[in-house]
Amino acid sequence: MAERLAGAAYRLLLWAYPEAFRREYGESMTADFLRLRRSAGGPAGRAWLWARTAADLLGTGVGMRMGWDGDREARDGWTTTTGGGDMLGDLKQDLAYAFRTLRRSPGYAAIVVLTLGLGIGANTAMFSLVNGVLLSPLPYAQGDRIVHLRQEQPRIGDDNMAFSVHEIEDYRHLNHTLTDVVEYHHMTFTLLGMGDPRLVQTGVVSARFFDVLGMEPILGRDFTEADDQLGADPVMILSNEFWQTQFGSDPDVIGKGYTMNGKIHTVIGVLPPIPQYPDENDVYMPTSQCPTRSSPGFIARRTARMMTVFGVLRPGTPLATAQKDLDGVASEIARDNPDVYKMDTNGYAAAVSALKEDLVAGARPTLLILMATTLLVLLVACANVASLALARAVRQGQELAVRQALGAGRGRLVRQLLTESTVLSLAGGILGVVLARASLGLLVKFAGRFTPRAFETSIDGRVLLFALAASVTTGPYSTTSVWVMVVGSTTAGRCPPSGAPTPRAPRWDAPAPATPVGRATGPMPGWSPRRCPSPSSSSSGRVSWAGPSWPSRRRTSGTFRAGCWSRRW
């Protein structure tokens, strides 16, 4: 199965070539590729094989479609492979050539790395925020089942009416789709016993609130049903950040008492370091210790509302089923209390939504707009790099022409340009990750105004994979114009038409041309002299220079005779 899929994927890549070429060479190239895939080793070897093969096929196929579809002699300048050959040796040569050319142009390399680094860094930082807020699951044990309950008065436009004690009890006992119904509200109290009096943000929660969120204290214990009863001993739980900043992470704080609302509250637990919801609080207390929530008058009035309610869906229960169930509960409550829920004038209904959607609803449009903006910034950066690369390639036109004349195929030139651009884009990606990490704090503070999930943002494996993908993508994209120039460059390597005079070319014993290529030691990568089909070539004893011949299923060998290169088929 895996081999069939690999073959299908390879044939899909072959569509980059003209139809006539696919008919003639497609099956043999596919067979060769599958043979190489079987001998490529583990996943890393196969991944490298796919990368090189895709680069070869797409680069060569695009070049053929841009002007060499029916001209066999023009196509002779290309080297087409199925991924074979000495891939490691080719890679070493390409990398060495890339680093050598970049050392000769340090200014160009620095500008490209900085430009791509800024573009990739902005996108990496924004993606880390999008990943932490929109894509990652809630950091709670049963986060996909936690829901937010709301009361609505649709006729007066109130879509988020708070709950009273009576209403919480009704929904807790009348529903059939929720395993737990818990409450929360937020107040500010003065805490004494830590030196100067200190205002603390306090979350007032019912028993099992932290069980619903899947949060277990890292020290001490959670609230129990007994702590929720009126007259219970005053207790409190510290948030992790408050414990670290105000108590220096002292584990002995458990059991100590601090005064709040005229009562000494004993510290019974410390929460783990995960984001708090719905608010970031310093301490938490049970409902029995809130002066307002525990007052008999407040408890008795059905219209005394200030609590937010959360629940947990039963396993396998869809949200739509829970909504239908709560609609029935709301109708029953309204029918039993017509003087409180004025259906004719205000209306009354219940609504339920996934907690994750509630957390990100206000932040999603802003984050998506910012992500799209940073993608445009990256495109602008790529366009600037493309302009620089094209200007540099124009200056290197003579060198490219000489290398083609010496037999370097256009496919090989494209691969070397691809290697150079990938080296630059990877360096830009590394710089981008560093810049993203440095700017992450500012982004988190900004996004924290829209959602508490912003504080879950970090540079994790998914973000690094995004940065790698952006780096690998921007390299080829930024040098597309250079590829086009190379593909459509001079027709060096073509043989003259039949009957045309064959130009004289250097003898094997002639001195090397005074060019940078001529001074290089050893043959150029991809170099292969070819004798043109001209009558004069058989007697002149001279060689006509051209690129590698078009791929054939027949193997070739060569013999040097009388100062020229002849081929034996």
Side-chain angles (χ1 to χ4, degrees):
M1 176 62 72
E3 184 160 310
R4 286 201 299 269
L5 291 176
Y10 187 83
R11 292 185 185 96
L12 185 62
L13 289 174
L14 285 177
W15 278 88
Y17 287 85
E19 184 179 357
F21 177 85
R22 293 198 307 272
R23 285 199 304 266
E24 184 174 357
Y25 299 109
E27 290 304 318
S28 61
M29 291 173 67
T30 303
D32 288 343
F33 172 77
L34 293 177
R35 174 181 54 77
L36 290 167
R37 180 182 176 275
R38 288 191 292 270
S39 60
R46 292 185 177 181
W48 173 241
L49 174 63
W50 271 112
R52 288 300 302 268
T53 300
D56 287 349
L57 295 183
L58 294 177
T60 308
V62 169
M64 291 175 59
R65 287 184 177 273
M66 292 182 63
W68 290 279
D69 283 359
D71 188 349
R72 190 179 187 92
E73 290 298 328
R75 292 195 301 255
D76 281 349
W78 281 89
T79 302
T80 306
T81 72
T82 59
D86 185 5
M87 292 188 296
L88 184 58
D90 288 349
L91 176 62
K92 290 180 179 179
Q93 288 184 350
D94 292 344
L95 288 175
Y97 176 78
F99 284 114
R100 186 167 63 250
T101 55
L102 292 176
R103 280 200 304 268
R104 295 201 300 264
S105 305
Y108 166 79
I111 293 175
V112 170
V113 170
L114 180 60
T115 303
L116 292 179
L118 292 174
I120 296 173
N123 278 268
T124 301
M126 273 309 306
F127 179 78
S128 66
L129 197 59
V130 169
N131 177 58
V133 174
L134 301 181
L135 303 181
S136 299
L138 292 177
Y140 308 131
Q142 47 192 5
D144 57 333
R145 294 168 50 206
I146 303 175
V147 294
H148 178 205
L149 279 64
R150 299 189 309 277
Q151 298 185 111
E152 300 177 343
Q153 298 182 101
R155 300 201 173 194
I156 61 174
D158 185 0
D159 60 355
N160 193 12
M161 183 172 68
F163 286 77
S164 66
V165 175
H166 283 284
E167 290 165 343
I168 292 172
E169 293 299 322
D170 287 342
Y171 281 98
R172 182 174 287 154
H173 295 106
L174 295 177
N175 88 85
H176 302 90
T177 55
L178 304 176
T179 58
D180 285 295
V181 174
V182 295
E183 65 177 89
Y184 165 90
H185 72 275
H186 169 87
M187 304 193 79
T188 302
F189 297 120
T190 302
L191 186 65
L192 305 175
M194 300 172 56
D196 295 334
R198 185 182 301 276
L199 288 176
V200 292
Q201 306 300 315
T202 306
V204 182
V205 299
S206 59
R208 293 190 55 77
F209 177 82
F210 296 116
D211 286 339
V212 165
L213 295 183
M215 299 170 62
E216 295 184 6
I218 58 173
L219 293 176
R221 65 174 179 86
D222 195 357
F223 294 133
T224 63
E225 296 289 347
D227 295 323
D228 242 359
Q229 302 300 316
L230 295 179
D233 293 334
V235 293
M236 66 179 180
I237 292 177
L238 306 179
S239 71
N240 193 273
E241 183 179 359
F242 189 72
W243 172 60
Q244 290 183 13
T245 57
Q246 303 301 321
F247 295 95
S249 303
D250 181 11
D252 294 331
V253 71
I254 303 298
K256 292 184 178 179
Y258 299 91
T259 302
M260 190 162 49
N261 300 323
K263 300 178 181 178
I264 298 178
H265 289 65
T266 303
V267 177
I268 62 170
V270 176
L271 293 178
I274 63 176
Q276 304 173 61
Y277 181 76
D279 303 294
E280 293 285 331
N281 293 300
D282 299 318
V283 300
Y284 289 85
M285 64 168 53
T287 58
S288 61
Q289 303 307 319
C290 175
T292 303
R293 169 65 175 79
S294 62
S295 65
F298 183 88
I299 294 175
R301 287 187 293 133
R302 179 172 283 272
T303 57
R305 302 182 176 102
M306 70 173 183
M307 278 78 75
T308 302
V309 174
F310 302 96
V312 179
L313 293 173
R314 294 183 183 278
T317 302
L319 195 63
T321 302
Q323 179 64 65
K324 186 176 180 180
D325 178 40
L326 295 182
D327 287 341
V329 174
S331 298
E332 185 175 348
I333 293 174
R335 185 174 60 250
D336 294 343
N337 302 276
D339 55 329
V340 176
Y341 307 98
K342 299 178 174 58
M343 299 297 292
D344 294 337
T345 59
N346 297 345
Y348 178 70
V352 60
S353 58
L355 176 60
K356 181 178 179 179
E357 292 303 312
D358 280 3
L359 284 172
V360 304
R364 179 180 280 110
T366 301
L367 294 184
L368 293 180
I369 291 173
L370 289 176
M371 189 72 214
T373 303
T374 55
L375 285 174
L376 290 177
V377 170
L378 182 58
L379 291 178
V380 171
C382 290
N384 290 333
V385 171
S387 299
L388 292 172
L390 182 58
R392 179 169 178 264
V394 169
R395 293 194 301 270
Q396 290 182 318
Q398 182 180 3
E399 178 183 345
L400 294 176
V402 170
R403 295 184 65 209
Q404 280 188 294
L406 292 178
R410 294 186 181 91
R412 185 57 185 275
L413 293 179
V414 168
R415 290 201 304 270
Q416 289 174 343
L417 289 172
L418 174 63
T419 303
E420 179 181 309
S421 63
T422 303
V423 167
L424 290 173
S425 61
L426 288 176
I430 294 173
L431 177 61
V433 171
V434 173
L435 294 177
R437 183 65 185 88
S439 62
L440 198 57
L442 294 176
L443 279 177
V444 168
K445 289 181 180 179
F446 168 76
R449 299 184 297 173
F450 302 98
T451 172
R453 293 212 70 191
F455 299 97
E456 302 174 37
T457 303
S458 63
I459 304 292
D460 58 10
R462 184 184 294 178
V463 175
L464 293 177
L465 284 176
F466 172 84
L468 177 61
S471 301
V472 173
T473 303
T474 53
Y477 176 80
S478 301
T479 55
T480 299
S481 57
V482 181
W483 292 11
V484 172
M485 188 195 72
V486 172
V487 169
S489 64
T490 107
T491 57
R494 295 191 187 185
C495 292
S498 178
T502 304
R504 293 175 61 87
R507 295 179 58 89
W508 281 99
D509 54 354
T515 65
V517 177
R519 290 194 297 267
T521 59
M524 293 297 297
W527 177 87
S528 175
R530 182 172 57 84
R531 186 183 177 107
C532 293
S534 170
S536 61
S537 62
S538 60
S539 58
S540 64
R542 303 182 184 275
V543 175
S544 177
W545 298 80
S549 64
W550 192 250
S552 172
R553 299 174 65 174
R554 294 173 294 179
R555 301 183 59 87
T556 67
S557 61
T559 306
F560 182 71
R561 291 196 187 96
C564 67
W565 182 270
S566 64
R567 284 194 169 170
R568 189 170 58 248
W569 294 85

